[in-house]
Amino acid sequence: MALNVHIARNSLTAGIMAAASILAVGCGSHSSSAPATPTGQSSSPSSSVSAGSTPTSTSQGQNSSSGPATNTSAAAPAGAAACSSSNLRISLSGGGAAAGTDFTVIDFTNSGSASCTLYGFPGVSLTNSSGAQIGAAATRNPSKASTLVTLAPGAKASAELGVANALNYPTDACKPMTAAQLKVFPPNQTQAIEAPFTATGCSVSSTHQLSVTAVTAGAGQAGQG
């Protein structure tokens, strides 16, 4: 009887040890699956790399935004560059007088071999025989709207200059000086064209004696003032 109890006890002990061994294997199997979490985490950098592709998408957006600029450039008239001073010739003619102001027509002729454009107001001032400016440059007379004028070779455009009589102003406000030339900057150009022109100018820069209209197509008409 004691032998049977001992055998049963040994069997029970062996069973318990076997169960413990199985349990240990099971636990070891679970803990080995834990490193799969970094694999999941490593998928996060893969996701961030995909997110890193966003700048590529952004740069594509920037490239596409340059499209309108290209289209705008394509919309510009072909061969319609601004007329440079070196390709223009000016001539002056009397435009009449009214209300103490003498008017002079300034004609611009395209002396180049290709069409070009003029837009807006010329810059105009009086100078002495040495080329020094007298008084203020002409103010803009809005009586004629600015329009884009295309000049074929030999074609003309014109603007009208108004020069108020120096006697219209008190001597101290004018300080009269004799002008010998007219200095004309074609619209949007920085090189002047000079032409002989006689007038009495006001040397006080705060006195605005001159005014000029925007350039319009065609030669100006003398005596229209």
Side-chain angles (χ1 to χ4, degrees), residues 154-212:
K156 296 178 182 292
S158 61
E160 186 177 66
L161 173 70
V163 182
N165 194 312
L167 296 177
N168 293 347
Y169 307 95
T171 302
D172 288 345
C174 178
K175 295 184 178 178
M177 292 183 64
T178 300
Q181 298 180 104
L182 200 64
K183 181 181 287 187
V184 179
F185 291 90
N188 306 306
Q189 298 298 308
T190 57
Q191 180 182 348
I193 305 172
E194 295 182 338
F197 185 78
T198 302
T200 301
C202 291
S203 61
V204 178
S205 59
S206 59
T207 298
H208 297 285
Q209 180 188 14
L210 311 182
S211 64
V212 68

Side-chain angles (χ1 to χ4, degrees), residues 93-97 103 105 221-225:
S93 58
F103 294 96
V105 174
Q221 296 181 6
Q224 63 183 354

Side-chain angles (χ1 to χ4, degrees), residues 18-95:
S21 176
I22 293 170
L23 181 61
V25 171
C27 290
S29 173
H30 183 278
S31 64
S32 67
S33 67
T37 301
T39 302
Q41 291 173 345
S42 68
S43 69
S44 177
S46 174
S47 171
S48 69
V49 169
S50 175
S53 67
T54 301
T56 304
S57 172
T58 302
S59 67
Q60 289 172 349
Q62 290 172 344
N63 289 337
S64 66
S65 70
S66 67
T70 303
N71 292 338
T72 301
S73 176
C83 297
S84 65
S85 299
S86 60
N87 285 334
L88 289 172
R89 185 175 68 250
I90 67 169
S91 57
L92 309 177
S93 58

Side-chain angles (χ1 to χ4, degrees), residues 128-152:
N128 61 22
S129 57
S130 300
Q133 182 170 320
I134 298 173
T139 59
R140 295 181 175 184
N141 179 348
S143 62
K144 296 179 181 179
S146 294
T147 56
L148 184 67
V149 178
T150 301
L151 294 181

